[in-house]
Amino acid sequence: DAVLGQENYHSAFACVRPPGHHATPSRAMGFCLYNNAGVAALHARATYGIQRVAVVDVDVHHGNGTEAFFRDDADLFYASFHQSGDDFYPGTGLAKGAKQGFSRGRELSVNGAKVAGETGINNNVVNCPLGRGAGLRAIRRVMEEKILPALSAFAPGLVIISLGFDALAKDPIGGLNLDPHDYAYLTRSIQDAAQCKLISVLEGGYDVREIARGAVAHVSELARLAKGAKPSDDLRRLRGASVISELSSGESWGSEQSYGDEDDDVNTLVANMSLDSVADGAMARSPTANRMSMDSVAERPATPPLLPQPPPRRS
């Protein structure tokens, strides 16, 4: 509403839980209760008349639920790169002709989506499965050869990024080996191809500090674009994201990592460096359309709060 309504913000990042891209129209699964991106797309259509909505999913898992929402509507577009193989969840989004997608000559479906070969009712579904360890080079290739051209040709009125941070190298579940800074590339390349309003919604991620670092890169890039930078401009590595990455503790959900002075340094960097850069973009008010939805940043106290500290370990 803040992006499409009277406030006319440039973009917005919805830092929400639970995630949503595995939830189908009729079933919750994979930690997802309802499909946030799918609901947002239909809300944009019903409330603001945005007929053509695209979702680009950068989570390490295939968004089987979003695909189920979108595949039969020619005015909805879904694209995803994701890890596949070794029975990686949810087992869908494989390439056309993959042997796992067939049994006795019949196409298989699991978790609300085809196992392999889904292209949608009007070529409005683009799936790019990748092997473990693919890295940025492979992801850039599928983005620039498949996803971005299809997104540009679709010409959406709104693009939604399903923003999973479990593709990061230090995530304990995923294996696509991205660096937090790579999310700045993903953000600006999607904006450049879509040429429309953009919102993002948090999906997966199992290392809380890596989620924070990826979010720093993503929101900093949104702020940069809100201030008038062109998506195609060259961008050197963001200082905050790179320094934070170098100090990474590797702390993950359910791990036995200890918390020392280094973790306090990471929290300070996230709070001070990233919020300063975001606030600059959030307060860009000329023109009004170049504002970013980040009220909590605009209203932050003089001394930014640290990120929540983890609970003490049990002895």
Side-chain angles (χ1 to χ4, degrees), residues 167-183:
L168 288 165
K170 292 185 178 180
D171 187 270
I173 291 181
L176 291 185
N177 287 349
L178 289 182
D179 178 84
H181 174 70
D182 297 334
Y183 282 83

Side-chain angles (χ1 to χ4, degrees), residues 3-307:
V3 172
L4 298 178
Q6 292 182 353
E7 293 175 281
N8 197 30
Y9 285 107
H10 171 274
S11 51
F13 168 43
C15 186
V16 298
R17 279 289 182 256
H21 72 153
H22 293 308
T24 73
S26 60
R27 182 181 174 192
M29 64 179 72
F31 306 128
C32 303
L33 301 183
Y34 57 89
N35 196 298
N36 303 310
V39 170
L42 298 182
H43 177 67
R45 177 180 286 180
T47 305
Y48 298 104
I50 307 294
Q51 185 65 18
R52 296 174 69 81
V53 181
V55 168
V56 180
D57 193 330
V58 301
D59 191 277
V60 78
H61 301 95
H62 178 242
N64 57 296
T66 311
E67 181 178 287
F69 263 91
F70 283 28
R71 63 190 173 204
D72 295 325
D73 188 327
D75 287 330
L76 297 175
F77 173 91
Y78 176 75
S80 171
F81 66 77
H82 45 270
Q83 187 172 324
S84 66
D86 300 321
D87 296 323
F88 197 71
Y89 188 83
T92 55
L94 302 187
K96 184 177 181 179
K99 64 180 181 180
Q100 300 97 317
F102 297 87
S103 177
R104 298 180 181 179
R106 299 180 61 183
E107 288 187 326
L108 296 177
S109 294
V110 297
N111 295 324
K114 278 186 183 180
V115 171
E118 181 64 75
T119 57
I121 194 171
N122 191 33
N123 293 318
N124 56 314
V125 173
V126 179
N127 283 316
C128 299
L130 298 167
R132 185 176 182 84
L136 180 62
R137 180 174 297 181
I139 288 170
R140 288 190 72 145
R141 184 173 63 250
V142 298
M143 286 287 290
E144 292 167 13
E145 293 179 2
K146 297 180 180 180
I147 292 176
L148 297 177
L151 175 63
S152 180
F154 180 75
L158 172 69
V159 63
I160 301 170
I161 303 179
S162 275
L163 193 65
F165 291 111
D166 42 10
L168 288 165
K170 292 185 178 180
D171 187 270
I173 291 181
L176 291 185
N177 287 349
L178 289 182
D179 178 84
H181 174 70
D182 297 334
Y183 282 83
Y185 156 73
L186 293 171
T187 302
R188 67 179 177 269
S189 63
I190 292 168
Q191 176 73 87
D192 200 15
Q195 292 293 304
C196 64
K197 292 281 192 172
L198 180 151
I199 64 173
S200 55
V201 58
L202 183 62
E203 297 286 0
Y206 302 90
D207 184 308
V208 293
R209 284 173 174 74
E210 289 301 285
I211 292 173
R213 296 177 183 104
V216 167
H218 170 67
V219 176
S220 296
E221 181 64 9
L222 289 181
R224 198 182 74 92
L225 296 174
K227 291 191 290 185
K230 295 180 180 179
S232 56
D233 286 348
D234 289 335
L235 180 67
R236 62 185 176 85
R237 181 175 292 271
L238 296 170
R239 178 171 177 261
S242 61
V243 173
I244 292 166
S245 181
E246 290 165 7
L247 291 177
S248 175
S249 68
E251 171 60 23
S252 59
W253 176 68
S255 76
E256 294 298 323
Q257 294 287 338
S258 62
Y259 302 96
D261 294 338
E262 184 179 67
D263 298 305
D264 293 334
D265 293 339
V266 171
N267 279 331
T268 301
L269 283 167
V270 172
N272 292 323
M273 291 183 182
S274 63
L275 287 181
D276 285 343
S277 64
V278 171
D280 289 342
M283 299 306 290
R285 299 180 181 273
S286 180
T288 304
N290 280 350
R291 296 163 60 201
M292 185 177 166
S293 180
M294 193 60 72
D295 292 339
S296 60
V297 173
E299 298 172 1
R300 66 187 173 98
T303 302
L306 297 181
L307 294 179

